[in-house]
């Protein structure tokens, strides 16, 4: 709900957007569409949101940019060892790590460091995994890669489902 509310508020504001970042050098880049849904229960309504994304760098140092359906850059996360920041129009916040950042945005942590590999249909090399008939399980998530798409479902409650589709040519 936080991500959906953030994207909706910023889309309605129209002119409230972040300036574009300088062009990336030789760092890796993945882009496409992403949606995250956190299942609700009898006491809580489910939450979620969707955006276009660009993911630069890698698990140790990188940048994630989220763009509204209207094309406005509405959030930019930057990380490097010992520093994680989130920029939104008119605000910048610091976090201890990427899990804390995603927990703040979504209410639940999402393993951003593993996404670099998961989006390329492979397990993250920094953690053990188990092969399944439709993909693999890692970090408590079931990963079902079908390039250029990915469905990652957290196996613990509340269920978190991340869906991503890479742009063609990535």
């Amino acid at each position: 709900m936080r991500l959906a509310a953030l994207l909706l508020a910023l889309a309605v504001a129209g002119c409230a957007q972040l300036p574009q970042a300088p062009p990336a050098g030789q760092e890796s880049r993945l882009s496409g569409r992403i949606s995250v849904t956190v299942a609700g229960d009898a006491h809580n309504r489910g939450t979620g949101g969707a955006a276009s994304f660009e993911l630069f760098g890698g698990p140790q140092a990188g940048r994630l940019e989220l763009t509204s359906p209207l094309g406005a850059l509405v959030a930019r996360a930057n990380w490097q060892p010992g520093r994680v920041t989130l920029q939104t129009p008119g605000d910048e916040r610091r976090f201890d790590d990427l899990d804390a950042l995603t927990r703040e945005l979504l209410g639940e942590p999402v393993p951003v460091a593993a996404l670099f590999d998961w989006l390329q249909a492979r397990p993250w090399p920094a953690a053990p995994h188990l092969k399944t008939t439709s993909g693999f399980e890692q970090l408590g998530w079931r990963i079902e890669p079908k390039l250029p798409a990915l469905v990652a479902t957290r196996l613990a409650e509340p269920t978190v489902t991340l869906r991503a589709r890479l742009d063609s040519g990535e």
Side-chain angles (χ1 to χ4, degrees), residues 27-28 55-63 79-80 98 112-113 116:
E27 61 188 8
S28 68
L55 185 60
F56 300 92
Q60 296 301 314
R63 183 173 80 233
W79 60 93
Q80 58 191 22
L98 287 169
V112 174
F116 288 90

Side-chain angles (χ1 to χ4, degrees), residues 26 45 87 95 98 100 107 130 135 160:
Q26 296 298 320
R45 188 170 159 227
Q87 292 176 290
F95 297 88
L98 287 169
L130 174 67
V160 177

